[in-house]
Amino acid sequence: MQLTRVSMLSGKPPGWRRAILDSLYLAMRETFNVPEDDRFMTITEHERDDFVYGADYLGIARSDDLVMIQITVSNTRGVAQKQALFARIAERLAQSPGLRKEDVLINLVETLPENWSFGSGLAQYVEKSG
């Protein structure tokens, strides 16, 4: 399970935004074993005054095309798999919609599997007892 939130400056066309979500989903399928149809994603657009970033933090030259990606997942993956995810997301977003890799900021948030409910008020990842 993943829950993905993307923040960016407003003004990009719908196709650009959809390409971001599609590329993210494919990268997660390729590197994180995300099941087919496990797709829960949003994009939030912000006005310039509400979108602040360090243009050169850590020596990385960012532009106004920056996308901030936060992915919440269960804590079941190792460091190598996370590094592969980060690299593949940057590669995929460079291909479509054409983002510079420097403009891809990713934050991975891990949670215990029992902290998910996919609907019906149930914790689907919790083993049923008795």
Side-chain angles (χ1 to χ4, degrees):
M1 173 63 180
Q2 55 76 31
L3 176 61
T4 302
R5 295 178 177 101
V6 178
S7 296
M8 59 189 287
L9 279 172
S10 62
K12 295 292 186 190
W16 177 274
R17 297 189 310 267
R18 183 58 188 234
I20 289 172
L21 297 180
D22 290 345
S23 292
L24 286 169
Y25 176 68
L26 290 172
M28 286 187 281
R29 296 258 306 139
E30 294 166 348
T31 61
F32 250 39
N33 301 321
V34 169
E36 186 174 344
D37 205 32
D38 182 357
R39 190 169 179 153
F40 301 91
M41 312 171 100
T42 62
I43 287 186
T44 304
E45 294 183 278
H46 303 272
E47 297 303 317
R48 181 163 306 282
D49 288 342
D50 300 325
F51 191 80
V52 179
Y53 63 91
D56 294 306
Y57 182 67
L58 295 178
I60 302 167
R62 294 171 190 84
S63 76
D64 283 345
D65 285 337
L66 175 68
V67 293
M68 297 184 203
I69 302 161
Q70 186 173 64
I71 305 170
T72 303
V73 295
S74 295
N75 63 341
T76 58
R77 295 161 180 102
V79 172
Q81 200 171 11
K82 294 171 192 176
Q83 290 172 317
L85 174 69
F86 298 155
R88 192 62 180 141
I89 286 173
E91 291 167 0
R92 281 264 178 206
L93 291 177
Q95 293 169 1
S96 177
L99 278 169
R100 297 169 51 248
K101 291 182 181 182
E102 295 86 351
D103 287 325
V104 179
L105 183 151
I106 306 163
N107 171 242
L108 194 62
V109 178
E110 295 180 300
T111 184
L112 297 171
E114 65 263 22
N115 291 332
W116 294 95
S117 174
F118 300 96
S120 301
L122 303 173
Q124 283 83 0
Y125 287 157
V126 175
E127 289 188 35
K128 295 180 182 181
S129 60

